[in-house]
Amino acid sequence: MSQERRMAVLSAIVEDYVQTSEPVGSKALLDRHQLNVSAATVRNDMAALEDEGLIIAPHTSAGRIPTDAGYRLFVDRLQAIRPMSRGERAAITDYLEGADDLDVVLDSTVRLLSTLTRQVAVVQYPSLTRSTVKHIELVPMSETRLMVVVIMGTGRVEQRVVPTGVDYLAPQGADALASARGRVNAATRDRRLAEALDSLRTLHDEDVETEDALTAGVIGVVEAALAEERATKVTLAGTANLARSSSDFPMTLEPVLDALEQHVVLLKLLSVEADQEAPGVSVRIGSENPVTGLQGTSLVTSGYGAGDEQVGAVGVLGPTRMDYPATMAQVRAVATYLSRIVDA
């Protein structure tokens, strides 16, 4: 019973400190929360929590604030992620509804999430190594040129114009193109890009009915898409929100801002979440972040994807003094809706 009571005291300290940014004393806890115990009991519980390294007294203040370990225990003991209201869910739907271009979708996503959380929002572009081919379209541009359009399951599109030796605008060429389109899609549809590339190479070597230039052009587009994987990027919004929490960074914001400028750092952090097989919300608190400049922050992330396949991650970065239940709910809701968009 005493352990549960101490956890209730810890939760109350976290909630009050997040709301007020002021150290929390025993009198404030008794005034604001229904703990149903004496002031002496609360003081004893606070002393025990301090001994366990879950709260500390900043400077000479009589109040206490949570440590990284205290926040960690608070988050781990959350029974469930707080559901968003119907109005909040409707706002997400309305804001993202109708966007079909991937860049527009991801830009809208980070702007929405930074507005909801009042923190820095970041989203990883879909990883092409996890992407599947949804459809390959072959469009004749002239008597000697053909446009190859590869549409990924994530909504990403790669295209290029390739030279051909067949006039696909002529009736006979149009029939040949329709046949080739069917064989190319049969070899690639719903396959990951690397697998689709292998199938295309087999088609190129063995299919005598399809023009070599055509299959070579399709292979070139898929190869280019895979090569671009090295340039997978992130986009972010809401950096100015950090200024509102400058008191949470007693030294300077400069290390945090420097880390945010290095997109490869954020990509590395988000890629860990995208690599997880099980969907869910992940929280890294303070010193749990491997990047030195971000060890005064917390990162709340969730993967998104098409079907059961996670292809990227979306998250929020802010000070450790964060409303974790609300932020976790908002990140999860936005990631869920983003998954619906890329899976459409």
Side-chain angles (χ1 to χ4, degrees), residues 132-178:
T132 57
V133 175
K134 184 175 183 180
H135 181 71
I136 295 180
E137 189 54 65
L138 307 172
V139 183
M141 304 296 292
S142 70
E143 296 176 356
T144 59
R145 295 191 307 157
L146 181 74
M147 177 179 284
V148 178
V149 183
V150 179
I151 303 170
M152 262 72 86
T154 58
R156 193 159 179 169
V157 176
E158 299 288 331
Q159 64 185 42
R160 69 164 54 175
V161 176
V162 300
T164 70
V166 176
D167 179 4
Y168 290 114
L169 291 172
Q172 186 174 353
D175 291 340
L177 185 62

Side-chain angles (χ1 to χ4, degrees), residues 197-207:
L197 186 58
D198 289 339
S199 295
L200 285 169
R201 286 171 175 157
T202 299
L203 185 69
H204 181 72
D205 293 337
E206 300 178 357
D207 184 9

Side-chain angles (χ1 to χ4, degrees), residues 6 15-16 20 31 59 67 86-87 89 105 131-132 156 209 223 249-250 253 256 269 289 309 315 332:
R6 287 176 189 169
E15 291 169 8
D16 281 7
T20 68
D31 290 343
H59 309 300
T67 63
R86 181 177 299 178
R89 292 195 302 271
V105 168
S131 297
T132 57
R156 193 159 179 169
E209 296 183 46
E223 286 178 334
F249 303 96
L253 272 173
V256 179
L269 292 175
N289 287 311
E309 188 74 17
R332 182 182 63 176

Side-chain angles (χ1 to χ4, degrees), residues 226-294:
L226 283 171
E228 194 175 319
E229 168 64 15
R230 303 188 193 97
T232 297
K233 59 181 180 177
V234 298
T235 185
L236 70 162
T239 305
N241 286 326
L242 290 172
R244 299 190 182 98
S245 306
S246 57
S247 61
D248 291 297
F249 303 96
M251 301 298 291
T252 175
L253 272 173
E254 186 174 351
V256 179
L257 297 176
D258 286 345
L260 290 177
E261 287 182 359
Q262 302 176 47
H263 283 196
V264 66
V265 170
L266 295 176
L267 182 59
K268 181 179 179 181
L269 292 175
L270 290 175
S271 293
V272 172
E273 314 311 329
D275 285 339
Q276 295 180 353
E277 293 185 2
V281 176
S282 173
V283 181
R284 292 189 185 188
I285 300 171
S287 57
E288 295 173 354
N289 287 311
V291 181
T292 302
L294 298 180

Side-chain angles (χ1 to χ4, degrees), residues 170-221:
Q172 186 174 353
D175 291 340
L177 185 62
S179 180
R181 184 184 294 113
R183 286 192 291 275
V184 166
N185 278 285
T188 59
R189 185 178 291 114
D190 296 329
R191 294 177 183 266
R192 291 195 181 189
L193 285 181
E195 297 170 347
L197 186 58
D198 289 339
S199 295
L200 285 169
R201 286 171 175 157
T202 299
L203 185 69
H204 181 72
D205 293 337
E206 300 178 357
D207 184 9
V208 297
E209 296 183 46
T210 303
E211 183 195 15
D212 285 349
L214 185 153
T215 51
V218 178
I219 288 172
V221 177

